[in-house]
Amino acid sequence: MEQQIIYSIQHVTKEFPGVKALSDISIDVRRGEILAVVGENGAGKSTLMNILSGAYAPTSGTITFEGQELTSLTPERAQHLGIAMIHQELSLSNALNLAENIFEGRLPKNSIGLVDRRKLYQESKRLLEEVGLPNLDPRTLVRDINVSQQQMVEIAKALSLNAKFLILDEPTSSLTVSEAEYLHEIMRRLKSKGITMLYISHKLDEILAISDRIVVFRDGRLITTMETAATQINDMVSSMVGREYSAGYTRAHYKNDYATAEPILKVSNLNVGKKVKNVDFTLYKGELLGITGLVGAGRSEVLQAVFGADPRQSGEIEIEGQKCRIRHPSDAIARGLALVPEGRKLQSLFLKFSVKENITLVAMKQVLNRCGLLKPRKEYEFADSFSKRLRVKTPSLDQKIVNLSGGNQQKAVIARWLANQPKILFLDEPTQGIDIGAKNEIYEIIDEMIRQGASVIMVSSEMQETISLCDRVLVMYEGEISGELYHKDATEKNIVTLMSGQALPVSAS
């Protein structure tokens, strides 16, 4: 018997000034299925999700939910109908407890109009159990639970609205492999109860593991629909990029001769509270050094402390053989360091500024005249040269950067730092939440920088990225470096062993 259609999208087009984000999209979503949506950044996935959740109205076409055509859908009406969207950036309030977050704006009241705490905690407890968190007290503050638990609380919040249709946008981007598997198990449990899910992810192996069907977007068009059981990763990628795809990225040359290698950065006895303990390492000229480990192992904290963004309890820093006092990012920048942090929107981008302004921000001295006044033509030419060099796709340099895809936002951030001509570049999760086509472009940019003499430290949670890019890998476990691997020894087995705090067998070390 054919499954019932819960959400039907017919001939939907969405236009913004100067941009057609979606063109004639038609999809029927079956009740109780997990439908994956894949495509490169800028393919139109997020625009479709915003239409389905009521944030945008289509320019033309119809959307029908449970047989009812929706002509003026708003986020509030979508919630009332049982449509809920869980965004990549979690929307929970750290200052409130779990129950208050789950029923935010809808706290149950007693007969005299006061909050009914007993009912609030009872209902929250039931919902937490439903998403696999039976041991969490609903009175726990959000800031006291980890990211994967926060993701489950977001789902509990959606279920409190009696959601029938969940839209999950990159829900595993900040989760470890085991945490992602746990989320998938919860999703399967919800599916068994008849809840329909639309799942967006750039992690194609996850798509194959969790979905029933896959729709592929490219340049605002729906290219194909695939049955997951009959699909391989190469099939998806080839449809996404419009050409045959060969998996993996390999650099033309890796650094193998360390006997004559010249140190450019040396860090000794670095301590950052309980997060980083007695870390020592050396970065060599023209090297790509990887730092990996489980989320919470202290990887990002190492970069931020060396860059002066986080206070450190101890630690000596030498750059090109000279001891340096770096107490603030401005000290690091003056010494030729640059940091592309993990949180693109929170830590890197000025979302209300233009692409041009975001690129020239650090290197402003190069676009000012002798009196310190901005030279608009020089600013434009300067930003244009780096935008072209990094292949930033934008209708105009005056376009607000918030309107660019994630991959192009990230390339603009990297362009900002390259414009300052750094000797040492720190990259923290440089391809997180970025499609496979944009990833390869960023890999090429990093490789080109190394060939031109820059030295790079890259933090990454993606195993294949670390293995394929890095000359050498430092693995962290609970704030300490648990091992060091040269490129030839950087296998998945060796990295996982060190990530879990175990020593490598003598033959593998």
Side-chain angles (χ1 to χ4, degrees):
M1 184 177 175
E2 190 173 338
Q3 281 178 283
Q4 181 187 1
I5 303 304
I6 185 171
Y7 215 149
S8 180
I9 302 104
Q10 296 300 317
H11 305 293
V12 163
T13 293
K14 178 62 180 177
E15 297 180 0
F16 297 100
V19 178
K20 182 179 279 190
L22 292 177
S23 182
D24 196 28
I25 302 296
S26 295
I27 306 170
D28 285 332
V29 187
R30 302 166 184 166
R31 188 183 295 276
E33 77 169 333
I34 298 176
L35 179 66
V37 183
V38 301
E40 296 188 89
N41 288 106
K45 306 184 303 294
S46 295
T47 301
L48 178 67
M49 300 309 113
N50 280 313
I51 287 173
L52 298 184
S53 62
Y56 296 163
T59 304
S60 62
T62 61
I63 56 174
T64 305
F65 186 74
E66 293 191 316
Q68 177 185 359
E69 185 177 333
L70 308 178
T71 55
S72 56
L73 186 63
T74 63
E76 292 75 19
R77 189 178 175 210
Q79 285 188 0
H80 180 73
L81 291 169
I83 302 165
M85 184 163 177
I86 298 170
H87 296 271
Q88 183 177 353
E89 288 88 16
L90 300 180
S91 60
L92 302 176
S93 172
N94 285 331
L96 300 179
N97 65 33
L98 307 187
E100 291 163 340
N101 269 281
I102 291 170
F103 287 96
E104 185 180 9
R106 302 172 290 115
L107 299 177
K109 303 289 179 62
N110 59 24
S111 58
I112 59 171
L114 299 177
V115 174
D116 188 338
R117 291 281 169 183
R118 183 177 177 183
K119 185 177 181 180
L120 172 66
Y121 294 133
Q122 264 183 350
E123 281 298 300
S124 298
K125 184 70 174 173
R126 179 184 64 79
L127 290 163
L128 290 171
E129 288 174 357
E130 194 167 345
V131 297
L133 300 175
N135 298 320
L136 266 188
D137 187 332
R139 291 168 290 192
T140 305
L141 294 179
V142 163
R143 61 169 167 253
D144 294 330
I145 63 174
N146 62 38
V147 174
S148 65
Q149 290 171 323
Q150 289 180 24
Q151 191 71 261
M152 303 306 169
V153 173
E154 285 275 17
I155 295 175
K157 184 176 181 177
L159 296 181
S160 75
L161 296 161
N162 297 314
K164 307 168 189 175
F165 189 91
L166 285 180
I167 302 169
L168 297 104
D169 186 7
E170 296 284 354
T172 64
S173 61
S174 300
L175 304 186
T176 65
V177 172
S178 60
E179 288 170 341
E181 289 173 351
Y182 180 69
L183 173 61
H184 291 163
E185 185 54 42
I186 298 300
M187 289 174 64
R188 292 186 187 100
R189 193 182 305 172
L190 296 175
K191 176 188 167 182
S192 70
K193 296 181 178 181
I195 294 175
T196 308
M197 282 162 276
L198 218 57
Y199 185 82
I200 303 175
S201 179
H202 290 306
K203 298 180 180 180
L204 302 186
D205 54 340
E206 291 184 3
I207 294 290
L208 293 182
I210 194 63
S211 69
D212 298 299
R213 291 189 303 147
I214 303 161
V215 291
V216 181
F217 278 64
R218 184 172 73 241
D219 297 330
R221 297 181 179 275
L222 194 157
I223 301 303
T224 187
T225 301
M226 304 172 169
E227 295 291 335
T228 304
T231 302
Q232 297 181 345
I233 285 179
N234 282 3
D235 300 327
M236 281 190 281
V237 177
S238 296
S239 295
M240 285 164 58
V241 300
R243 59 185 183 274
E244 287 300 314
Y245 174 76
S246 176
Y249 181 88
T250 304
R251 289 171 57 200
H253 175 72
Y254 294 95
K255 193 174 191 68
N256 295 313
D257 182 13
Y258 280 85
T260 58
E262 187 178 349
I264 187 169
L265 172 68
K266 188 174 182 180
V267 175
S268 306
N269 192 34
L270 180 66
N271 285 273
V272 182
K274 297 179 180 179
K275 298 177 181 178
V276 177
K277 308 166 191 173
N278 304 314
V279 164
D280 302 319
F281 67 88
T282 300
L283 172 68
Y284 296 93
K285 287 188 177 180
E287 178 188 33
L288 202 170
L289 175 65
I291 301 181
T292 191
L294 298 174
V295 173
R299 307 163 308 168
S300 300
E301 288 80 1
V302 167
L303 297 191
Q304 291 166 0
V306 175
F307 194 70
D310 285 351
R312 57 183 184 270
Q313 278 63 55
S314 67
E316 288 190 351
I317 298 170
E318 290 183 17
I319 298 176
E320 295 181 310
Q322 292 188 340
K323 288 186 178 180
C324 304
R325 300 183 70 179
I326 297 177
R327 296 181 175 178
H328 187 272
S330 59
D331 300 328
I333 293 168
R335 294 284 184 172
L337 273 64
L339 169 64
V340 176
E342 178 182 7
R344 191 162 54 238
K345 290 185 177 178
L346 291 176
Q347 297 172 291
S348 290
L349 297 173
F350 292 83
L351 295 173
K352 294 183 179 180
F353 286 18
S354 68
V355 176
K356 175 182 64 185
E357 291 164 331
N358 269 277
I359 290 175
T360 58
L361 199 62
V362 175
M364 283 298 293
K365 288 182 181 179
Q366 301 191 49
V367 296
L368 301 178
N369 62 22
R370 292 180 180 178
C371 300
L373 299 176
L374 181 68
K375 299 169 70 177
R377 184 174 176 181
K378 177 70 173 176
E379 180 190 28
Y380 183 90
E381 291 173 350
F382 189 78
D384 187 51
S385 66
F386 282 93
S387 175
K388 287 177 178 174
R389 179 178 167 187
L390 274 77
R391 300 187 290 278
V392 179
K393 295 175 185 175
T394 176
S396 159
L397 289 175
D398 293 317
Q399 174 77 264
K400 286 188 178 180
I401 202 162
V402 69
N403 295 323
L404 268 59
S405 68
N408 286 300
Q409 288 176 349
Q410 187 73 329
K411 285 190 281 184
V413 172
I414 296 173
R416 172 195 302 167
W417 289 107
L418 290 192
N420 207 44
Q421 300 179 324
K423 300 175 186 175
I424 301 166
L425 178 62
F426 295 164
L427 299 170
D428 194 351
E429 302 285 7
T431 64
Q432 187 179 86
I434 292 175
D435 68 74
I436 202 157
K439 278 184 181 182
N440 280 334
E441 288 187 339
I442 288 176
Y443 295 158
E444 289 170 5
I445 291 164
I446 296 169
D447 200 6
E448 181 187 346
M449 291 168 55
I450 297 293
R451 291 196 301 270
Q452 292 179 356
S455 304
V456 178
I457 299 181
M458 180 183 76
V459 166
S460 177
S461 298
E462 293 200 24
M463 188 74 69
Q464 195 53 49
E465 182 171 86
T466 301
I467 292 169
S468 64
L469 285 182
C470 297
D471 297 302
R472 192 164 48 102
V473 179
L474 302 178
V475 185
M476 294 191 68
Y477 174 74
E478 294 187 349
E480 300 179 296
I481 294 176
S482 57
E484 174 189 45
L485 297 167
Y486 292 93
H487 177 74
K488 63 183 178 63
D489 299 317
T491 63
E492 187 168 341
K493 181 179 178 181
N494 286 344
I495 292 174
V496 169
T497 299
L498 292 170
M499 283 170 67
S500 61
Q502 302 175 57
L504 291 178
V506 175
S507 59
S509 59

